[in-house]
Amino acid sequence: MRLALLSDIHGNLEALGAVVCEGRARGVDAWVCLGDIVGYGANPKACLHAVQELSDEVVLGNHDAAAIGQTDLAYFNPYARRAAEWTAEQLGESERRYLASLPFVLQRDDAFFVHAEPHQPSRWGYVHNRAEAKKALDAIEQRFCFVGHSHCPFVCIERDGGVELLPKGPQPIQPRSRYLANIGSVGQPRDGDAQACFALWDQAAETLELVRCPYDITTTQYKIITAGLPPALAERLALGH
């Protein structure tokens, strides 16, 4: 089984399309989405419908919750707040019902899937570093933990009582070790790399990899600006932050 994990699409249809094409080229069998399908970008409905067709395994993100009034917008910065208000105006009743039906977490065998940190997922805490990764792994029983939310991807391994960051590239899964992968962002990377990001977990080959792929940033920027969303949301895409 080759499982692709994607998160933080944020209404970026071009980035989502690039990720799906790359995943299919790599023989992906199934997909899991860790939330924030909407927010920031100009194609919330199209991205939401694409995710619905792609997978039934989807969790709720904070921007998804904001778009349907389940998260206080005071938590957001002014650009994010404006985008959330605009996104809410674009969604129909069926899209709102779908987002309202999404769970905070999914659990499958030895894997735990969540948008934010797993201890209190509805509070939208981040997993930024090794210390927060250790805390996240301590909060669950599963061997693998997959998170999004920060838009900054990394993979770490827990062994011998500590947590180590792993280098880029496909990582062989070590016996009796536990893993946390922050799978980054499809639609708005913030690690200095503007390319879309997703994770590929090849369970047969026993590897875990963060995958980057280019997409048509110019078209995405044009859509954001012509929709009347804050231009800063378009500008940051080319910078990867």
Side-chain angles (χ1 to χ4, degrees), residues 140-196:
I140 65 171
E141 298 178 354
Q142 287 82 0
R143 186 180 172 201
F144 298 90
C145 182
F146 295 95
V147 305
H149 194 34
S150 75
H151 299 211
C152 293
F154 66 89
V155 178
C156 58
I157 182 171
E158 180 189 58
R159 55 186 171 194
D160 301 325
V163 172
E164 305 169 21
L165 290 175
L166 294 173
K168 294 181 180 180
Q171 293 300 315
I173 294 171
Q174 304 295 330
R176 296 179 297 280
S177 293
R178 302 178 74 209
Y179 291 83
L180 180 139
N182 187 319
I183 65 172
S185 173
V186 170
Q188 195 186 90
R190 295 180 186 166
D191 62 336
D193 185 341
Q195 296 181 102

